[in-house]
Amino acid sequence: MNWFTWEQYKKQFLMLGIALALYAALAIPLGLYFWHTYQQALITCKQTNTCGRLTQDLFQSGWSRVLNPNATAGGLTLFNVAILAMPFLLGMFVGAPLIAREYADGTNKLIWTRSVSRHKWLTIKLLWILVATAIFAGIFAALTTWWSRAGNVLFSDHFSATEFAMQGIVPVGYAVLAVSLGVMFGALFKRTLLALAVTLGVLLAVQIAIPNWVRPHLQVPHHTTLSLYQRNIGTSVGAKTFALTVPAIPSQPGAWVLSSHAVNASGQPVTAVPPACQGAFGISQGSGGASDNAQSQDPLACLAGQGLHIAATYQPAYRYWDFQRIEAGVYLALSLIPIGVTYWLVLKRDA
Amino acid sequence: MDNVAAKTTTAIQATDLGKRYGSFWALKDCNIVVPRGSVTALVGPNGAGKTTLLKLLVDLSSPSAGSATVLGMTPNQSSGYLSEIGYLAQEIPLYSQMTVEKHLAMGAHLDTNWDNGLAVSRLKELKIPMGRPVGKLSGGQRAQVGLALALAKKPKLLLLDEPVAALDPLARVEFLTSLAQAATDAGGELTVVMSSHLLADLERVCDHLILLAAGETQLCDSIEHIIATHKLLVGPRNEATSSPGYSIIKETHAVNETNLLVRLNDKNFRSSSRWHVHDANIEDIVLAYMEQAKQEGDER
């Protein structure tokens, strides 16, 4: 059965090998170039005492668009999309056809009537495919992690939703889940195209649900309050309301900020612009008109003067690998469901 | 004692075997006995459940009612059971990208009693290109590869589902010759059940016949016995046709004569002098049963 599985899928294994080689050919020079440029810039900036601006300087040199999509207005780059798509492609093109194709071609009736039990056939097939998937995704993610190190150091963003899904061991868990789901839908629908489409849909749903609703709660987040006298505070203003956010915690580089909002001195959330600061926000105060003094004042300084500050919750950077381990474990555990269902479908249902 | 005897002489016994898909019975109340060493034709109109029956026997499908005993076992997915059964599905499924050689290697790796020499010599004799992907072979060649894969397993029971349906007449003859040869070579150790609509072809190689129609087993016997117990009676028009000596399967009337195809209930039946008794051929008998079943089905 091992020989036959190899014989049946050697072309696919070869394709996966080629894909890895191509990625390595791209990622290794890129990673070396980034790291080298970063080291050079570090030496130069020490001489000119401009290391505080290093990030912006490199940012403007153009390569930050690849390194840090979140820092640019465009969001994801094509390169990142390609890397993030890896588990999806495996699920759709390795997982979904695995059993669906046997049903569609009728070859299940050939192979299930050899002197090998269907159970053994399925077990060996799944083992080969899932182990190959894990190895492929592992090497793939290791390459991504390696070439991203300059970006990780510079931008401290490897906890961000995009980077988290690309680096470390999470991609392995996600790829195994993706392929398991593909196999199950293939066995369920017996048609590759339908299985492929449903697999894609479910994977997208998981990829949206986990970072938004599950990952933030894997461990109890830390709380902190920040003064309004700092850079990087995002302000949005409504009719008579405002909201303040921070993308990062200055004292916690690399931390993942889950939420941030303005609070008053007693810790109550504030969304309405205090009357004293309406002038600073350029909000007309009815008939009287704003005083010149208030209008020239900085809105944040005015809010700070009213005793406001920012409350934020975050996951500290040192939890990164805990989160990677937990989430990879969750994906692997979830994979057991489609695998179990696949056994049931293949063994209990008619050919 | 009876049980042991049954085990050694019966290859297949099905009792009230049925398969339901939703509310539709693809096979119902199937009762058959297939003796060991026989070559049995499984015939019946489309939708009579021939494919379903064969799939039940090789456990590609599980029964909704009744039971089957095959070679003394209940059909299952174990290696021990499957190694005794050769099965060739209707569409002759093969891995179209794989060469003939790779298919044989598959058998060598996956089949317990694989006889590679047998498969190779069979296919070489038929001049089938061993290194070519099976997707590029003709229909007849594919059928021969499928048969070789089933036979080289050294099965005790070979189940063939419409193996010649898609073949041209020459390939059909070649296939049936191969099959007959294999059955002879096995010297009574091999039981064959083959479904088909092509009665003339089945007659060439089969010694037993099962007729499924209208959800029932209409006939299950040796062809010799079926022929011996069915007669064509030709007599005058307008005369009572019923008799305790036979059951009428089919009755047709011409201008001044009546034709009856009957099953004799009494071995020593002698017709009156006004009736002529002729032997019926198996094709006529099978067709008569199929028509009768169809009429009963329409009346229901």
Side-chain angles (χ1 to χ4, degrees):
Chain A
M1 196 58 221
N2 284 315
W3 173 85
F4 184 67
T5 310
W6 167 251
E7 195 58 43
Q8 202 176 0
Y9 296 110
K10 62 184 176 188
K11 270 187 195 157
Q12 289 197 34
F13 293 140
L14 184 69
M15 299 247 286
L16 290 178
I18 291 171
L20 268 189
L22 284 175
Y23 184 47
L26 195 65
I28 291 173
L30 196 69
L32 287 173
Y33 167 70
F34 285 154
W35 190 247
H36 180 72
T37 314
Y38 170 66
Q39 294 293 341
Q40 285 299 111
L42 211 57
I43 294 165
T44 318
C45 80
K46 272 177 188 154
Q47 287 162 355
T48 56
N49 207 17
T50 54
C51 287
R53 279 175 34 214
L54 180 62
T55 306
Q56 283 114 303
D57 287 349
L58 288 173
F59 199 91
Q60 274 146 20
S61 72
W63 51 276
S64 63
R65 283 183 58 78
V66 184
L67 275 177
N68 185 11
N70 295 330
T72 65
L76 291 173
T77 65
L78 200 62
F79 195 50
N80 286 99
V81 170
I83 295 167
L84 286 169
M86 180 272 288
F88 291 78
L89 295 175
L90 287 177
M92 289 159 68
F93 296 104
V94 175
L98 193 79
I99 292 173
R101 194 147 175 226
E102 302 262 7
Y103 277 112
D105 294 351
T107 46
N108 61 328
K109 286 177 249 172
L110 173 67
I111 201 74
W112 292 350
T113 52
R114 306 327 302 172
S115 314
V116 172
S117 73
R118 231 183 271 183
H119 187 276
K120 185 179 173 187
W121 170 83
L122 181 59
T123 302
I124 292 175
K125 201 171 171 101
L126 283 177
L127 266 178
W128 272 81
I129 290 300
L130 293 177
V131 168
T133 298
I135 292 172
F136 176 87
I139 297 174
F140 195 92
L143 281 167
T144 312
T145 311
W146 183 80
W147 76 253
S148 304
R149 62 191 169 149
N152 290 346
V153 174
L154 269 173
F155 302 106
S156 303
D157 68 340
H158 58 316
F159 225 142
S160 74
T162 314
E163 298 293 329
F164 192 84
M166 282 165 43
Q167 299 182 34
I169 56 172
V170 158
V172 178
Y174 199 59
V176 169
L177 175 64
V179 171
S180 308
L181 282 169
V183 170
M184 177 187 76
F185 287 124
L188 178 66
F189 299 127
K190 305 184 179 181
R191 284 161 56 203
T192 305
L193 209 61
L194 182 59
L196 195 138
V198 174
T199 303
L200 176 63
V202 172
L203 287 175
L204 280 172
V206 172
Q207 193 63 284
I208 289 166
I210 298 271
N212 285 311
W213 299 306
V214 179
R215 192 182 299 153
H217 310 293
L218 290 180
Q219 289 186 359
V220 178
H222 284 196
H223 294 263
T224 189
T225 52
L226 303 166
S227 98
L228 296 185
Y229 295 106
Q230 57 181 299
R231 288 188 299 166
N232 294 336
I233 292 183
T235 316
S236 57
V237 184
K240 283 196 172 180
T241 60
F242 73 103
L244 303 179
T245 53
V246 284
I249 313 285
S251 61
Q252 293 278 340
W256 176 28
V257 179
L258 302 179
S259 69
S260 53
H261 55 269
V263 291
N264 61 22
S266 56
Q268 300 300 314
V270 180
T271 53
V273 177
C277 294
Q278 287 185 353
F281 276 87
I283 298 166
S284 141
Q285 290 170 308
S287 55
S291 74
D292 291 340
N293 181 33
Q295 259 174 346
S296 62
Q297 201 180 1
D298 172 51
L300 284 178
C302 178
L303 290 174
Q306 296 293 310
L308 265 62
H309 44 262
I310 290 180
T313 60
Y314 66 97
Q315 297 288 358
Y318 65 80
R319 286 182 174 173
Y320 177 76
W321 282 105
D322 281 347
F323 270 60
Q324 280 271 334
R325 272 190 291 272
I326 294 170
E327 194 164 317
V330 166
Y331 287 139
L332 289 177
L334 282 177
S335 308
L336 293 175
I337 298 169
I339 290 170
V341 173
T342 302
Y343 268 97
W344 185 84
L345 289 170
V346 168
L347 299 185
K348 298 292 175 203
R349 268 201 326 185
D350 294 343
Chain B
M1 272 311 282
D2 273 2
N3 210 1
V4 174
K7 254 189 177 178
T8 51
T9 60
T10 306
I12 303 169
Q13 175 147 25
T15 311
D16 300 332
L17 193 62
K19 178 69 187 179
R20 189 166 47 90
Y21 295 102
S23 60
F24 167 71
W25 287 89
L27 181 73
K28 206 174 177 188
D29 301 330
C30 176
N31 289 287
I32 56 168
V33 177
V34 175
R36 284 209 186 199
S38 68
V39 178
T40 299
L42 178 60
V43 297
N46 283 334
K50 303 189 293 292
T51 298
T52 305
L53 173 60
L54 293 178
K55 281 169 86 173
L56 288 170
L57 296 178
V58 71
D59 203 35
L60 284 175
S61 187
S62 41
S64 318
S67 63
T69 307
V70 177
L71 305 171
M73 295 175 270
T74 302
N76 62 79
Q77 293 172 13
S78 73
S79 164
Y81 180 74
L82 292 171
S83 64
E84 306 270 338
I85 316 286
Y87 172 75
L88 184 55
Q90 190 165 2
E91 65 271 34
I92 309 169
L94 296 167
Y95 291 99
S96 56
Q97 312 273 321
M98 275 191 207
T99 62
V100 178
E101 257 166 355
K102 289 281 198 266
H103 278 83
L104 298 188
M106 170 188 81
H109 279 90
L110 303 186
D111 286 324
T112 322
N113 310 317
W114 185 257
D115 185 341
N116 204 54
L118 178 78
V120 170
S121 65
R122 288 180 60 81
L123 294 175
K124 285 221 165 124
E125 204 174 298
L126 294 159
K127 299 195 171 54
I128 286 171
M130 304 293 278
R132 190 175 295 179
V134 295
K136 290 184 176 154
L137 299 180
S138 72
Q141 288 174 323
R142 284 172 59 89
Q144 290 286 3
V145 173
L147 181 63
L149 282 171
L151 280 174
K153 264 182 101 173
K154 290 267 154 197
K156 294 203 170 69
L157 172 63
L158 182 62
L159 304 170
L160 306 170
D161 193 358
E162 305 255 7
V164 295
L167 304 187
D168 65 60
L170 184 62
R172 204 180 295 162
V173 170
E174 277 178 353
F175 183 94
L176 293 170
T177 308
S178 295
L179 180 64
Q181 185 62 45
T184 311
D185 291 350
E189 290 298 306
L190 177 67
T191 308
V192 180
V193 177
M194 173 167 69
S195 74
S196 180
H197 326 277
L198 301 161
L199 286 163
D201 289 335
L202 295 171
E203 219 176 345
R204 205 190 305 265
V205 290
C206 296
D207 51 29
H208 278 65
L209 185 135
I210 296 168
L211 172 61
L212 295 181
E216 270 179 67
T217 317
Q218 305 281 347
L219 282 171
C220 177
D221 211 336
S222 77
I223 292 180
E224 201 179 336
H225 191 249
I226 292 172
I227 298 218
T229 53
H230 289 79
K231 296 291 173 190
L232 202 58
L233 303 185
V234 182
R237 186 88 199 251
N238 303 326
E239 186 160 324
T241 53
S242 63
S243 153
Y246 55 74
S247 313
I248 298 167
I249 309 302
K250 185 185 175 187
E251 183 170 344
T252 48
H253 300 283
V255 180
N256 48 17
E257 66 173 32
T258 297
N259 286 287
L260 301 179
L261 198 138
V262 300
R263 182 177 64 235
L264 303 182
N265 297 328
D266 175 5
K267 229 176 14 179
N268 304 314
F269 168 76
R270 290 284 175 274
S271 69
S272 69
S273 57
R274 287 188 303 282
W275 289 84
H276 298 282
V277 180
H278 302 277
D279 282 342
N281 67 35
I282 193 74
E283 203 161 351
D284 291 336
I285 300 168
V286 166
L287 275 173
Y289 273 97
M290 281 164 61
E291 281 171 29
Q292 185 195 37
K294 188 168 183 290
Q295 275 167 15
E296 281 171 10
D298 290 345
E299 278 159 24
R300 239 179 272 154

